C-alpha cells in the first residue's frame, strides 16, 4: 500500500474517532455524583444527627450536563421524581428552604448538580436505590446586552436589563482596590442576568467584584438581590447588562439505580 493511501486511512480513522468523541460529549448526561446516610441522634431535641458532619437521613447528589445550554433554574412544579429502595419502599423527599430540589450550577453553565434529601432512613436490608422521573430545567435563550444609567443613591429605581430594581445598602468596600459597595433588589428573579460590567463617563470598564446574591420572603412575596463592589467613588456611572430575554424549559429524564458500588 502506498504511503499516501496509508496517510489517508489514518486521517479518516482520526476523523471518525474524533467525531464519535464529539458526538458523545454533546449528549445529555446524568449520573449519581455521591450520597450519604446519617443516623439521627435519639437524644437530640432538634433532629440532629449522631455524626457532626452529616445530617440525619439520606442525601443524594445528581450530576447533569446539557451541552450547549445555559442552565438558569429548576422548575419545581413540573419536576417529578420518586426515590425507592430495592424492596419497593418509596422514601418521601424532604423539602429544602425553597423546594424539594436544590440545584447548583457549575462555572460551566451547561452542567451542575441537583441534591435530594430524605429525612427517613432506609431499612437496614436496603442494598440499593432507584431514582425515577424527570427534572425540568429552565435554560436561557436570546442573549441581549443593554447599557443602563445607574445613580448610586439609595431608593433610586432602575430598569436593569429584564428587571425593575432599587438601589440599596450603599457603603464602603471591603478592601482595595474597591471604593464602595451597593446592592440592587426587586421582586423579580435575577437568574436571567448573565454578566454585568460598570463603565465610567469615558466608557472605560471599572474594576468590580460580584459580592453575592440572595432572596428573602415566602411564596409570592419574594425579594431578590445582588451586590457588587466597584473601584470608583463616582455616584453616576453606566452598567452594561447582558441577559437572556427568553427562557426555555428542557426535560431531563432521570432513571438511576445506585448503591455502595458507585
Amino acid at each position: 500500500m502506498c504511503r499516501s493511501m496509508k496517510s489517508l486511512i489514518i486521517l479518516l480513522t482520526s476523523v471518525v474517532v474524533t467525531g464519535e468523541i464529539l458526538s458523545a460529549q454533546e449528549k445529555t448526561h446524568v449520573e449519581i455524583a455521591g450520597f450519604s446516610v446519617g443516623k439521627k441522634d435519639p437524644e437530640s431535641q432538634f433532629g440532629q444527627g449522631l455524626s457532626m458532619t452529616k445530617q440525619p437521613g439520606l442525601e443524594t447528589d445528581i450530576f447533569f450536563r446539557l451541552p450547549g445550554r445555559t442552565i438558569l433554574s429548576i422548575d419545581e412544579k413540573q419536576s417529578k421524581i420518586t426515590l425507592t429502595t430495592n424492596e419497593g419502599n418509596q422514601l418521601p423527599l424532604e423539602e429544602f428552604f425553597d423546594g424539594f430540589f436544590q440545584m447548583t450550577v457549575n462555572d460551566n453553565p451547561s452542567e451542575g448538580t441537583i441534591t435530594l434529601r430524605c429525612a427517613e432512613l432506609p431499612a437496614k436490608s436496603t442494598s440499593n436505590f432507584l431514582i425515577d422521573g424527570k427534572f425540568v430545567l429552565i435554560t436561557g435563550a436570546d442573549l441581549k446586552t443593554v447599557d443602563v444609567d445607574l445613580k448610586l443613591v439609595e431608593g433610586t429605581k432602575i430598569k436593569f436589563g429584564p428587571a425593575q430594581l432599587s438601589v440599596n445598602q450603599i457603603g464602603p468596600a471591603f478592601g482595595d482596590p474597591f471604593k464602595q459597595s451597593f446592592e440592587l433588589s426587586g421582586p423579580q428573579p435575577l437568574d436571567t442576568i448573565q454578566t454585568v460590567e460598570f463603565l465610567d463617563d469615558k466608557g472605560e470598564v471599572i474594576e468590580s467584584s460580584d459580592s453575592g446574591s440572595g432572596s428573602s420572603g415566602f411564596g409570592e412575596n419574594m425579594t431578590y438581590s445582588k451586590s457588587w463592589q466597584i473601584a470608583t467613588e463616582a455616584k453616576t456611572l453606566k452598567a452594561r447588562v447582558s441577559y437572556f430575554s427568553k427562557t426555555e424549559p428542557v426535560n431531563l429524564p432521570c432513571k438511576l439505580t445506585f448503591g455502595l458500588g458507585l
Side-chain angles (χ1 to χ4, degrees):
M1 184 181 294
C2 67
R3 182 178 301 176
S4 59
M5 183 62 71
K6 287 183 179 179
S7 299
L8 178 60
I9 291 173
I10 293 172
L11 176 60
L12 290 175
T13 303
S14 175
V15 170
V16 171
V17 172
T18 303
E20 289 176 352
I21 293 173
L22 289 175
S23 177
Q25 289 176 342
E26 291 171 356
K27 292 180 180 178
T28 297
H29 178 74
V30 60
E31 67 175 295
I32 299 296
F35 71 97
S36 65
V37 180
K39 191 172 184 180
K40 184 178 179 180
D41 182 353
E43 298 182 1
S44 172
Q45 299 179 358
F46 307 102
Q48 294 176 313
L50 286 173
S51 171
M52 297 294 291
T53 60
K54 294 180 179 61
Q55 296 187 58
L58 171 67
E59 184 168 292
T60 307
D61 290 333
I62 301 166
F63 173 83
F64 65 87
R65 182 185 294 116
L66 290 175
R69 298 279 190 167
T70 296
I71 311 301
L72 304 179
S73 60
I74 184 168
D75 188 326
E76 282 276 341
K77 293 182 179 179
Q78 298 301 318
S79 298
K80 307 293 181 184
I81 291 290
T82 58
L83 173 62
T84 56
T85 69
N86 59 290
E87 297 165 322
N89 298 320
Q90 185 170 328
L91 302 177
L93 298 181
E94 183 180 16
E95 193 166 5
F96 293 95
F97 173 75
D98 55 354
F100 292 99
F101 311 116
Q102 189 174 72
M103 186 176 73
T104 302
V105 179
N106 295 351
D107 290 339
N108 177 353
S110 67
E111 60 185 39
T113 55
I114 300 171
T115 300
L116 312 178
R117 287 208 77 253
C118 175
E120 182 180 314
L121 275 177
K124 291 184 179 180
S125 58
T126 300
S127 60
N128 55 56
F129 304 90
L130 171 65
I131 291 177
D132 193 12
K134 70 171 182 178
F135 297 106
V136 179
L137 305 184
I138 305 302
T139 66
D142 194 15
L143 189 66
K144 295 183 180 297
T145 300
V146 295
D147 286 352
V148 178
D149 291 325
L150 176 61
K151 285 189 176 182
L152 294 182
V153 177
E154 291 200 16
T156 300
K157 307 292 183 181
I158 182 174
K159 182 71 165 62
F160 201 75
Q164 291 285 351
L165 302 177
S166 297
V167 179
N168 301 306
Q169 299 185 17
I170 300 171
F174 308 123
D176 292 336
F178 305 111
K179 304 299 183 183
Q180 58 182 328
S181 64
F182 64 95
E183 176 189 272
L184 299 180
S185 63
Q188 298 169 261
L190 305 178
D191 49 17
T192 58
I193 296 176
Q194 286 302 284
T195 61
V196 178
E197 286 184 326
F198 299 99
L199 312 175
D200 61 20
D201 56 4
K202 297 180 181 179
E204 299 292 330
V205 175
I206 301 168
E207 186 173 355
S208 63
S209 173
D210 187 331
S211 300
S213 59
S215 61
S216 60
F218 186 78
E220 300 297 325
N221 299 313
M222 295 292 295
T223 298
Y224 301 89
S225 61
K226 197 169 182 63
S227 301
W228 290 269
Q229 297 185 94
I230 54 176
T232 180
E233 295 179 345
K235 296 299 180 183
T236 301
L237 54 152
K238 284 188 181 291
R240 181 160 291 162
V241 184
S242 294
Y243 66 97
F244 291 108
S245 63
K246 297 178 183 178
T247 58
E248 298 174 347
V250 176
N251 289 333
L252 179 66
C254 183
K255 190 168 186 177
L256 299 169
T257 299
F258 65 99
L260 289 178
L262 283 179

